[in-house]
Short mmCIF file of all heavy atoms in Angstrom, two decimals:
data_model
loop_
_atom_site.label_atom_id
_atom_site.label_comp_id
_atom_site.label_asym_id
_atom_site.label_seq_id
_atom_site.Cartn_x
_atom_site.Cartn_y
_atom_site.Cartn_z
N MET A 1491 -63.58 74.91 -356.54
CA MET A 1491 -64.39 73.76 -356.24
C MET A 1491 -63.53 72.51 -356.34
O MET A 1491 -62.72 72.37 -357.25
CB MET A 1491 -65.54 73.72 -357.23
CG MET A 1491 -66.57 72.66 -356.89
SD MET A 1491 -68.14 73.08 -357.68
CE MET A 1491 -69.13 73.14 -356.25
N GLY A 1492 -63.71 71.55 -355.41
CA GLY A 1492 -62.91 70.33 -355.38
C GLY A 1492 -63.32 69.34 -356.45
O GLY A 1492 -64.34 69.49 -357.11
N SER A 1493 -62.49 68.32 -356.61
CA SER A 1493 -62.81 67.30 -357.60
C SER A 1493 -63.94 66.43 -357.09
O SER A 1493 -64.14 66.26 -355.89
CB SER A 1493 -61.57 66.46 -357.89
OG SER A 1493 -61.17 65.79 -356.72
N SER A 1494 -64.70 65.86 -358.03
CA SER A 1494 -65.83 65.03 -357.64
C SER A 1494 -65.36 63.64 -357.23
O SER A 1494 -64.32 63.15 -357.66
CB SER A 1494 -66.83 64.94 -358.80
OG SER A 1494 -66.23 64.27 -359.89
N LEU A 1495 -66.14 63.01 -356.39
CA LEU A 1495 -65.85 61.65 -355.93
C LEU A 1495 -66.01 60.68 -357.08
O LEU A 1495 -66.97 60.76 -357.85
CB LEU A 1495 -66.80 61.29 -354.79
CG LEU A 1495 -66.68 59.87 -354.24
CD1 LEU A 1495 -65.32 59.68 -353.56
CD2 LEU A 1495 -67.80 59.60 -353.27
N LYS A 1496 -65.08 59.75 -357.19
CA LYS A 1496 -65.14 58.73 -358.23
C LYS A 1496 -65.24 57.37 -357.56
O LYS A 1496 -64.65 57.14 -356.51
CB LYS A 1496 -63.93 58.79 -359.13
CG LYS A 1496 -63.86 60.10 -359.91
CD LYS A 1496 -62.81 60.05 -360.97
CE LYS A 1496 -62.72 61.34 -361.73
NZ LYS A 1496 -63.80 61.61 -362.62
N VAL A 1497 -66.01 56.47 -358.19
CA VAL A 1497 -66.25 55.14 -357.64
C VAL A 1497 -65.98 54.11 -358.72
O VAL A 1497 -66.37 54.28 -359.88
CB VAL A 1497 -67.73 55.03 -357.17
CG1 VAL A 1497 -68.05 53.63 -356.68
CG2 VAL A 1497 -68.03 56.05 -356.10
N ALA A 1498 -65.31 53.02 -358.34
CA ALA A 1498 -65.08 51.91 -359.26
C ALA A 1498 -66.34 51.06 -359.31
O ALA A 1498 -66.90 50.71 -358.26
CB ALA A 1498 -63.89 51.07 -358.81
N VAL A 1499 -66.81 50.77 -360.51
CA VAL A 1499 -67.99 49.93 -360.69
C VAL A 1499 -67.65 48.76 -361.61
O VAL A 1499 -66.68 48.81 -362.37
CB VAL A 1499 -69.19 50.73 -361.26
CG1 VAL A 1499 -69.58 51.86 -360.32
CG2 VAL A 1499 -68.90 51.27 -362.64
N THR A 1500 -68.46 47.72 -361.55
CA THR A 1500 -68.24 46.51 -362.34
C THR A 1500 -69.23 46.45 -363.49
O THR A 1500 -70.43 46.63 -363.28
CB THR A 1500 -68.40 45.26 -361.47
OG1 THR A 1500 -67.52 45.37 -360.34
CG2 THR A 1500 -68.08 43.99 -362.24
N LEU A 1501 -68.72 46.19 -364.68
CA LEU A 1501 -69.56 46.00 -365.87
C LEU A 1501 -69.66 44.50 -366.16
O LEU A 1501 -68.65 43.85 -366.38
CB LEU A 1501 -68.95 46.70 -367.08
CG LEU A 1501 -68.66 48.18 -366.97
CD1 LEU A 1501 -68.03 48.67 -368.27
CD2 LEU A 1501 -69.91 48.97 -366.65
N HIS A 1502 -70.87 43.98 -366.14
CA HIS A 1502 -71.08 42.56 -366.42
C HIS A 1502 -71.51 42.39 -367.87
O HIS A 1502 -72.51 42.97 -368.29
CB HIS A 1502 -72.14 41.97 -365.49
CG HIS A 1502 -71.66 41.86 -364.08
ND1 HIS A 1502 -70.90 40.81 -363.64
CD2 HIS A 1502 -71.81 42.69 -363.03
CE1 HIS A 1502 -70.62 40.98 -362.37
NE2 HIS A 1502 -71.15 42.12 -361.97
N GLN A 1503 -70.73 41.60 -368.61
CA GLN A 1503 -71.02 41.33 -370.02
C GLN A 1503 -72.23 40.40 -370.13
O GLN A 1503 -72.46 39.57 -369.26
CB GLN A 1503 -69.81 40.66 -370.66
CG GLN A 1503 -68.52 41.40 -370.52
CD GLN A 1503 -68.39 42.52 -371.54
OE1 GLN A 1503 -69.10 42.59 -372.51
NE2 GLN A 1503 -67.45 43.40 -371.29
N SER A 1504 -72.96 40.50 -371.23
CA SER A 1504 -74.08 39.60 -371.46
C SER A 1504 -73.59 38.21 -371.84
O SER A 1504 -74.29 37.23 -371.64
CB SER A 1504 -75.02 40.17 -372.53
OG SER A 1504 -74.30 40.42 -373.71
N GLU A 1505 -72.38 38.13 -372.40
CA GLU A 1505 -71.80 36.85 -372.75
C GLU A 1505 -71.12 36.27 -371.51
O GLU A 1505 -70.22 36.87 -370.95
CB GLU A 1505 -70.78 36.99 -373.89
CG GLU A 1505 -71.36 37.53 -375.18
CD GLU A 1505 -71.43 39.05 -375.19
OE1 GLU A 1505 -70.72 39.71 -374.42
OE2 GLU A 1505 -72.23 39.58 -375.97
N ALA A 1506 -71.53 35.08 -371.10
CA ALA A 1506 -71.04 34.49 -369.85
C ALA A 1506 -69.54 34.22 -369.86
O ALA A 1506 -68.91 34.20 -368.80
CB ALA A 1506 -71.80 33.20 -369.56
N LEU A 1507 -68.95 34.02 -371.01
CA LEU A 1507 -67.52 33.70 -371.08
C LEU A 1507 -66.62 34.90 -370.89
O LEU A 1507 -65.43 34.76 -370.63
CB LEU A 1507 -67.20 33.02 -372.41
CG LEU A 1507 -67.89 31.69 -372.66
CD1 LEU A 1507 -67.54 31.16 -374.04
CD2 LEU A 1507 -67.51 30.69 -371.57
N LEU A 1508 -67.15 36.10 -371.03
CA LEU A 1508 -66.35 37.31 -370.87
C LEU A 1508 -66.33 37.74 -369.41
O LEU A 1508 -67.36 37.75 -368.74
CB LEU A 1508 -66.90 38.44 -371.73
CG LEU A 1508 -66.89 38.19 -373.24
CD1 LEU A 1508 -67.58 39.33 -373.97
CD2 LEU A 1508 -65.46 38.04 -373.74
N SER A 1509 -65.15 38.07 -368.93
CA SER A 1509 -65.05 38.51 -367.54
C SER A 1509 -65.53 39.94 -367.39
O SER A 1509 -65.48 40.72 -368.33
CB SER A 1509 -63.61 38.37 -367.04
OG SER A 1509 -62.76 39.17 -367.82
N PRO A 1510 -65.99 40.29 -366.19
CA PRO A 1510 -66.45 41.67 -365.96
C PRO A 1510 -65.31 42.67 -366.12
O PRO A 1510 -64.15 42.34 -365.91
CB PRO A 1510 -66.94 41.64 -364.51
CG PRO A 1510 -67.15 40.21 -364.18
CD PRO A 1510 -66.17 39.45 -365.02
N ALA A 1511 -65.67 43.88 -366.48
CA ALA A 1511 -64.70 44.97 -366.59
C ALA A 1511 -64.94 45.94 -365.44
O ALA A 1511 -66.05 46.05 -364.92
CB ALA A 1511 -64.86 45.70 -367.92
N ILE A 1512 -63.89 46.64 -365.04
CA ILE A 1512 -63.99 47.65 -363.98
C ILE A 1512 -63.80 49.02 -364.62
O ILE A 1512 -62.85 49.24 -365.37
CB ILE A 1512 -62.92 47.44 -362.90
CG1 ILE A 1512 -62.99 46.02 -362.32
CG2 ILE A 1512 -63.02 48.50 -361.81
CD1 ILE A 1512 -64.24 45.72 -361.55
N VAL A 1513 -64.71 49.95 -364.33
CA VAL A 1513 -64.57 51.33 -364.79
C VAL A 1513 -64.74 52.25 -363.58
O VAL A 1513 -65.31 51.86 -362.56
CB VAL A 1513 -65.59 51.72 -365.89
CG1 VAL A 1513 -65.42 50.84 -367.12
CG2 VAL A 1513 -67.01 51.63 -365.40
N VAL A 1514 -64.24 53.46 -363.71
CA VAL A 1514 -64.37 54.46 -362.64
C VAL A 1514 -65.30 55.55 -363.14
O VAL A 1514 -65.11 56.10 -364.22
CB VAL A 1514 -62.99 55.03 -362.27
CG1 VAL A 1514 -63.13 56.12 -361.21
CG2 VAL A 1514 -62.07 53.93 -361.78
N VAL A 1515 -66.35 55.82 -362.35
CA VAL A 1515 -67.33 56.84 -362.73
C VAL A 1515 -67.47 57.87 -361.61
O VAL A 1515 -67.19 57.58 -360.45
CB VAL A 1515 -68.71 56.23 -363.05
CG1 VAL A 1515 -68.63 55.30 -364.24
CG2 VAL A 1515 -69.29 55.48 -361.87
N SER A 1516 -67.89 59.05 -361.97
CA SER A 1516 -68.12 60.12 -360.99
C SER A 1516 -69.54 60.05 -360.46
O SER A 1516 -70.48 59.72 -361.19
CB SER A 1516 -67.90 61.49 -361.65
OG SER A 1516 -66.59 61.63 -362.08
N VAL A 1517 -69.70 60.37 -359.19
CA VAL A 1517 -71.03 60.47 -358.60
C VAL A 1517 -71.53 61.89 -358.79
O VAL A 1517 -70.75 62.82 -359.01
CB VAL A 1517 -71.02 60.08 -357.11
CG1 VAL A 1517 -70.59 58.64 -356.92
CG2 VAL A 1517 -70.14 61.01 -356.30
N ASN A 1518 -72.85 62.08 -358.68
CA ASN A 1518 -73.41 63.42 -358.81
C ASN A 1518 -73.32 64.16 -357.47
O ASN A 1518 -72.76 63.64 -356.50
CB ASN A 1518 -74.84 63.39 -359.36
CG ASN A 1518 -75.84 62.76 -358.41
OD1 ASN A 1518 -75.59 62.55 -357.22
ND2 ASN A 1518 -77.00 62.41 -358.93
N GLN A 1519 -73.88 65.34 -357.39
CA GLN A 1519 -73.79 66.16 -356.18
C GLN A 1519 -74.48 65.53 -354.99
O GLN A 1519 -74.25 65.92 -353.85
CB GLN A 1519 -74.33 67.58 -356.43
CG GLN A 1519 -75.81 67.66 -356.69
CD GLN A 1519 -76.18 67.55 -358.16
OE1 GLN A 1519 -75.43 67.00 -358.96
NE2 GLN A 1519 -77.34 68.06 -358.52
N HIS A 1520 -75.32 64.52 -355.23
CA HIS A 1520 -76.02 63.82 -354.14
C HIS A 1520 -75.35 62.50 -353.78
O HIS A 1520 -75.88 61.74 -352.98
CB HIS A 1520 -77.48 63.56 -354.53
CG HIS A 1520 -78.22 64.80 -354.90
ND1 HIS A 1520 -78.54 65.79 -353.99
CD2 HIS A 1520 -78.68 65.25 -356.08
CE1 HIS A 1520 -79.18 66.78 -354.59
NE2 HIS A 1520 -79.27 66.48 -355.88
N GLY A 1521 -74.20 62.21 -354.40
CA GLY A 1521 -73.48 60.98 -354.12
C GLY A 1521 -74.02 59.77 -354.86
O GLY A 1521 -73.70 58.64 -354.51
N GLN A 1522 -74.84 60.00 -355.88
CA GLN A 1522 -75.45 58.90 -356.63
C GLN A 1522 -74.67 58.60 -357.90
O GLN A 1522 -74.15 59.50 -358.56
CB GLN A 1522 -76.89 59.26 -357.01
CG GLN A 1522 -77.76 59.55 -355.81
CD GLN A 1522 -79.05 60.24 -356.22
OE1 GLN A 1522 -79.04 61.13 -357.07
NE2 GLN A 1522 -80.15 59.83 -355.61
N LEU A 1523 -74.64 57.32 -358.25
CA LEU A 1523 -74.01 56.90 -359.49
C LEU A 1523 -74.97 57.10 -360.65
O LEU A 1523 -76.20 57.11 -360.45
CB LEU A 1523 -73.63 55.42 -359.41
CG LEU A 1523 -72.52 55.10 -358.43
CD1 LEU A 1523 -72.44 53.59 -358.20
CD2 LEU A 1523 -71.20 55.62 -358.94
N PRO A 1524 -74.46 57.22 -361.88
CA PRO A 1524 -75.36 57.35 -363.03
C PRO A 1524 -76.17 56.06 -363.21
O PRO A 1524 -75.69 54.97 -362.91
CB PRO A 1524 -74.42 57.56 -364.22
CG PRO A 1524 -73.03 57.40 -363.71
CD PRO A 1524 -73.06 57.28 -362.24
N ALA A 1525 -77.39 56.21 -363.70
CA ALA A 1525 -78.25 55.04 -363.95
C ALA A 1525 -77.81 54.30 -365.20
O ALA A 1525 -77.96 53.08 -365.29
CB ALA A 1525 -79.70 55.49 -364.09
N VAL A 1526 -77.26 55.01 -366.17
CA VAL A 1526 -76.85 54.43 -367.45
C VAL A 1526 -75.46 54.91 -367.81
O VAL A 1526 -75.14 56.09 -367.62
CB VAL A 1526 -77.84 54.82 -368.58
CG1 VAL A 1526 -77.39 54.29 -369.92
CG2 VAL A 1526 -79.25 54.33 -368.25
N LEU A 1527 -74.64 54.01 -368.33
CA LEU A 1527 -73.33 54.36 -368.87
C LEU A 1527 -73.33 54.03 -370.35
O LEU A 1527 -73.84 52.98 -370.76
CB LEU A 1527 -72.22 53.55 -368.19
CG LEU A 1527 -72.08 53.68 -366.68
CD1 LEU A 1527 -71.02 52.72 -366.16
CD2 LEU A 1527 -71.73 55.11 -366.30
N VAL A 1528 -72.76 54.91 -371.16
CA VAL A 1528 -72.64 54.67 -372.60
C VAL A 1528 -71.17 54.72 -372.97
O VAL A 1528 -70.51 55.75 -372.76
CB VAL A 1528 -73.45 55.69 -373.42
CG1 VAL A 1528 -73.27 55.46 -374.90
CG2 VAL A 1528 -74.93 55.64 -373.04
N ASP A 1529 -70.65 53.61 -373.49
CA ASP A 1529 -69.25 53.48 -373.90
C ASP A 1529 -68.27 53.99 -372.83
O ASP A 1529 -67.40 54.82 -373.11
CB ASP A 1529 -69.00 54.22 -375.22
CG ASP A 1529 -69.78 53.63 -376.38
OD1 ASP A 1529 -70.16 52.44 -376.32
OD2 ASP A 1529 -70.01 54.35 -377.36
N PRO A 1530 -68.36 53.47 -371.60
CA PRO A 1530 -67.41 53.91 -370.57
C PRO A 1530 -66.00 53.40 -370.87
O PRO A 1530 -65.81 52.45 -371.64
CB PRO A 1530 -67.95 53.28 -369.29
CG PRO A 1530 -68.67 52.06 -369.76
CD PRO A 1530 -69.26 52.44 -371.09
N ILE A 1531 -65.01 54.01 -370.25
CA ILE A 1531 -63.61 53.63 -370.45
C ILE A 1531 -63.16 52.83 -369.23
O ILE A 1531 -63.32 53.27 -368.08
CB ILE A 1531 -62.74 54.88 -370.64
CG1 ILE A 1531 -63.21 55.62 -371.90
CG2 ILE A 1531 -61.27 54.51 -370.73
CD1 ILE A 1531 -62.55 56.93 -372.13
N ASP A 1532 -62.59 51.63 -369.48
CA ASP A 1532 -62.16 50.78 -368.37
C ASP A 1532 -60.82 51.24 -367.81
O ASP A 1532 -60.22 52.21 -368.29
CB ASP A 1532 -62.16 49.31 -368.77
CG ASP A 1532 -61.06 48.92 -369.74
OD1 ASP A 1532 -60.11 49.71 -369.96
OD2 ASP A 1532 -61.14 47.80 -370.29
N ARG A 1533 -60.34 50.53 -366.79
CA ARG A 1533 -59.10 50.92 -366.11
C ARG A 1533 -57.87 50.85 -367.02
O ARG A 1533 -56.87 51.49 -366.74
CB ARG A 1533 -58.87 50.04 -364.89
CG ARG A 1533 -59.91 50.24 -363.82
CD ARG A 1533 -59.59 49.48 -362.59
NE ARG A 1533 -59.49 48.04 -362.87
CZ ARG A 1533 -59.23 47.12 -361.98
NH1 ARG A 1533 -59.02 47.46 -360.73
NH2 ARG A 1533 -59.17 45.85 -362.31
N SER A 1534 -57.97 50.07 -368.10
CA SER A 1534 -56.84 49.95 -369.04
C SER A 1534 -56.88 51.01 -370.12
O SER A 1534 -56.02 51.04 -370.99
CB SER A 1534 -56.87 48.57 -369.69
OG SER A 1534 -56.81 47.57 -368.73
N GLY A 1535 -57.91 51.87 -370.11
CA GLY A 1535 -58.04 52.91 -371.11
C GLY A 1535 -58.80 52.47 -372.35
O GLY A 1535 -58.89 53.22 -373.31
N ARG A 1536 -59.37 51.26 -372.33
CA ARG A 1536 -60.14 50.77 -373.46
C ARG A 1536 -61.62 51.12 -373.29
O ARG A 1536 -62.13 51.16 -372.17
CB ARG A 1536 -60.00 49.25 -373.60
CG ARG A 1536 -58.60 48.81 -373.97
CD ARG A 1536 -58.56 47.32 -374.09
NE ARG A 1536 -58.91 46.72 -372.81
CZ ARG A 1536 -58.19 45.82 -372.17
NH1 ARG A 1536 -57.09 45.37 -372.68
NH2 ARG A 1536 -58.58 45.35 -371.01
N ILE A 1537 -62.28 51.35 -374.40
CA ILE A 1537 -63.71 51.65 -374.36
C ILE A 1537 -64.48 50.35 -374.20
O ILE A 1537 -64.28 49.40 -374.96
CB ILE A 1537 -64.16 52.37 -375.64
CG1 ILE A 1537 -63.48 53.73 -375.74
CG2 ILE A 1537 -65.68 52.52 -375.67
CD1 ILE A 1537 -63.75 54.46 -377.04
N ALA A 1538 -65.34 50.29 -373.20
CA ALA A 1538 -66.24 49.15 -373.00
C ALA A 1538 -67.51 49.49 -373.78
O ALA A 1538 -68.46 50.06 -373.25
CB ALA A 1538 -66.53 48.95 -371.53
N GLN A 1539 -67.49 49.18 -375.07
CA GLN A 1539 -68.57 49.62 -375.95
C GLN A 1539 -69.91 49.04 -375.54
O GLN A 1539 -70.03 47.88 -375.14
CB GLN A 1539 -68.25 49.24 -377.39
CG GLN A 1539 -67.07 50.00 -377.92
CD GLN A 1539 -66.90 49.84 -379.41
OE1 GLN A 1539 -67.54 49.04 -380.05
NE2 GLN A 1539 -65.99 50.63 -379.96
N GLY A 1540 -70.91 49.89 -375.63
CA GLY A 1540 -72.27 49.47 -375.35
C GLY A 1540 -72.97 50.39 -374.38
O GLY A 1540 -72.42 51.38 -373.91
N THR A 1541 -74.20 50.05 -374.10
CA THR A 1541 -75.02 50.76 -373.13
C THR A 1541 -75.17 49.86 -371.91
O THR A 1541 -75.54 48.70 -372.04
CB THR A 1541 -76.41 51.07 -373.73
OG1 THR A 1541 -76.22 51.86 -374.92
CG2 THR A 1541 -77.27 51.85 -372.75
N TRP A 1542 -74.89 50.40 -370.75
CA TRP A 1542 -74.84 49.64 -369.51
C TRP A 1542 -75.86 50.21 -368.53
O TRP A 1542 -75.86 51.39 -368.24
CB TRP A 1542 -73.44 49.71 -368.91
CG TRP A 1542 -72.38 49.24 -369.86
CD1 TRP A 1542 -71.79 49.98 -370.84
CD2 TRP A 1542 -71.81 47.95 -369.94
NE1 TRP A 1542 -70.87 49.22 -371.52
CE2 TRP A 1542 -70.87 47.96 -370.99
CE3 TRP A 1542 -72.00 46.77 -369.22
CZ2 TRP A 1542 -70.11 46.85 -371.33
CZ3 TRP A 1542 -71.25 45.67 -369.56
CH2 TRP A 1542 -70.32 45.71 -370.60
N LEU A 1543 -76.71 49.37 -367.99
CA LEU A 1543 -77.75 49.78 -367.06
C LEU A 1543 -77.35 49.42 -365.64
O LEU A 1543 -77.00 48.27 -365.36
CB LEU A 1543 -79.07 49.10 -367.41
CG LEU A 1543 -80.29 49.42 -366.56
CD1 LEU A 1543 -80.62 50.91 -366.65
CD2 LEU A 1543 -81.47 48.59 -366.99
N GLY A 1544 -77.38 50.40 -364.76
CA GLY A 1544 -77.03 50.17 -363.36
C GLY A 1544 -78.11 49.39 -362.65
O GLY A 1544 -79.29 49.48 -362.98
N GLY A 1545 -77.70 48.63 -361.66
CA GLY A 1545 -78.67 47.87 -360.89
C GLY A 1545 -77.99 46.86 -360.01
O GLY A 1545 -76.77 46.84 -359.86
N ASN A 1546 -78.78 46.02 -359.42
CA ASN A 1546 -78.28 44.99 -358.52
C ASN A 1546 -78.24 43.65 -359.25
O ASN A 1546 -79.25 43.22 -359.80
CB ASN A 1546 -79.17 44.88 -357.29
CG ASN A 1546 -79.20 46.18 -356.52
OD1 ASN A 1546 -78.22 46.89 -356.48
ND2 ASN A 1546 -80.33 46.48 -355.91
N LEU A 1547 -77.08 43.03 -359.25
CA LEU A 1547 -76.92 41.74 -359.90
C LEU A 1547 -76.44 40.74 -358.87
O LEU A 1547 -75.37 40.90 -358.29
CB LEU A 1547 -75.88 41.82 -361.04
CG LEU A 1547 -76.22 42.74 -362.19
CD1 LEU A 1547 -75.03 42.83 -363.14
CD2 LEU A 1547 -77.43 42.23 -362.94
N GLY A 1548 -77.22 39.72 -358.62
CA GLY A 1548 -76.81 38.68 -357.68
C GLY A 1548 -76.50 39.25 -356.31
O GLY A 1548 -77.34 39.88 -355.69
N ASP A 1549 -75.26 39.05 -355.87
CA ASP A 1549 -74.85 39.52 -354.55
C ASP A 1549 -74.49 41.00 -354.54
O ASP A 1549 -74.23 41.57 -353.50
CB ASP A 1549 -73.64 38.72 -354.06
CG ASP A 1549 -73.99 37.27 -353.81
OD1 ASP A 1549 -75.17 36.99 -353.54
OD2 ASP A 1549 -73.09 36.43 -353.88
N GLY A 1550 -74.44 41.64 -355.71
CA GLY A 1550 -74.03 43.04 -355.80
C GLY A 1550 -75.16 43.97 -355.45
O GLY A 1550 -75.79 44.55 -356.31
N THR A 1551 -75.44 44.13 -354.18
CA THR A 1551 -76.57 44.95 -353.76
C THR A 1551 -76.20 46.38 -353.44
O THR A 1551 -77.02 47.15 -352.97
CB THR A 1551 -77.24 44.33 -352.52
OG1 THR A 1551 -76.25 44.22 -351.50
CG2 THR A 1551 -77.82 42.97 -352.83
N ASP A 1552 -74.94 46.75 -353.68
CA ASP A 1552 -74.52 48.10 -353.32
C ASP A 1552 -74.69 49.11 -354.45
O ASP A 1552 -74.33 50.26 -354.31
CB ASP A 1552 -73.07 48.11 -352.83
CG ASP A 1552 -72.11 47.60 -353.88
OD1 ASP A 1552 -72.56 47.18 -354.97
OD2 ASP A 1552 -70.90 47.62 -353.61
N GLY A 1553 -75.24 48.69 -355.59
CA GLY A 1553 -75.48 49.61 -356.68
C GLY A 1553 -74.28 49.90 -357.54
O GLY A 1553 -74.31 50.80 -358.36
N THR A 1554 -73.20 49.14 -357.38
CA THR A 1554 -72.00 49.41 -358.17
C THR A 1554 -71.82 48.39 -359.28
O THR A 1554 -70.71 48.15 -359.75
CB THR A 1554 -70.75 49.44 -357.28
OG1 THR A 1554 -70.63 48.17 -356.62
CG2 THR A 1554 -70.80 50.56 -356.28
N THR A 1555 -72.89 47.76 -359.72
CA THR A 1555 -72.81 46.82 -360.84
C THR A 1555 -73.69 47.32 -361.99
O THR A 1555 -74.74 47.93 -361.76
CB THR A 1555 -73.28 45.42 -360.43
OG1 THR A 1555 -74.59 45.49 -359.89
CG2 THR A 1555 -72.35 44.82 -359.39
N TYR A 1556 -73.24 47.06 -363.20
CA TYR A 1556 -73.95 47.46 -364.40
C TYR A 1556 -74.01 46.27 -365.33
O TYR A 1556 -73.07 45.50 -365.43
CB TYR A 1556 -73.23 48.62 -365.11
CG TYR A 1556 -73.35 49.94 -364.39
CD1 TYR A 1556 -72.58 50.22 -363.27
CD2 TYR A 1556 -74.24 50.91 -364.84
CE1 TYR A 1556 -72.69 51.43 -362.63
CE2 TYR A 1556 -74.35 52.13 -364.18
CZ TYR A 1556 -73.57 52.38 -363.08
OH TYR A 1556 -73.69 53.58 -362.41
N ALA A 1557 -75.13 46.11 -366.01
CA ALA A 1557 -75.30 45.03 -366.99
C ALA A 1557 -75.42 45.63 -368.38
O ALA A 1557 -76.05 46.67 -368.57
CB ALA A 1557 -76.55 44.21 -366.67
N LYS A 1558 -74.80 44.96 -369.35
CA LYS A 1558 -74.85 45.43 -370.72
C LYS A 1558 -76.24 45.16 -371.29
O LYS A 1558 -76.74 44.05 -371.23
CB LYS A 1558 -73.80 44.73 -371.57
CG LYS A 1558 -73.68 45.31 -372.96
CD LYS A 1558 -72.49 44.72 -373.68
CE LYS A 1558 -72.27 45.43 -375.01
NZ LYS A 1558 -71.09 44.90 -375.69
N VAL A 1559 -76.87 46.19 -371.81
CA VAL A 1559 -78.21 46.04 -372.37
C VAL A 1559 -78.20 46.18 -373.89
O VAL A 1559 -79.16 45.79 -374.55
CB VAL A 1559 -79.22 47.04 -371.77
CG1 VAL A 1559 -79.47 46.70 -370.30
CG2 VAL A 1559 -78.78 48.47 -371.93
N ARG A 1560 -77.12 46.73 -374.43
CA ARG A 1560 -77.04 46.88 -375.89
C ARG A 1560 -75.62 47.06 -376.31
O ARG A 1560 -74.80 47.61 -375.68
CB ARG A 1560 -77.88 48.07 -376.32
CG ARG A 1560 -78.18 48.13 -377.74
CD ARG A 1560 -79.29 49.07 -378.13
NE ARG A 1560 -79.38 50.28 -377.36
CZ ARG A 1560 -79.49 51.45 -377.89
NH1 ARG A 1560 -79.52 51.60 -379.17
NH2 ARG A 1560 -79.62 52.53 -377.16
#
C-alpha cells in the first residue's frame, strides 16, 4: 500500500502577536483533513502544544486552517 497524502496546514494562535505555525498532516482515505489536531509537530520538529480545531478563518476557505481552542 502506498503512502498517504500529506497536506500542509496553518495553525493560528489565539494570541495575536504570535505568528501562525505550519504543520503537515495526513488526509484520510476520503481525502479529508482531521477535524481536530492535538499537539501537532510543526515543520521545525517542535510540538505546537494545544488542541486545534479545523475550520475556515477569514480568507482561508479551503479548510487548511486550524485555530487553537485550548
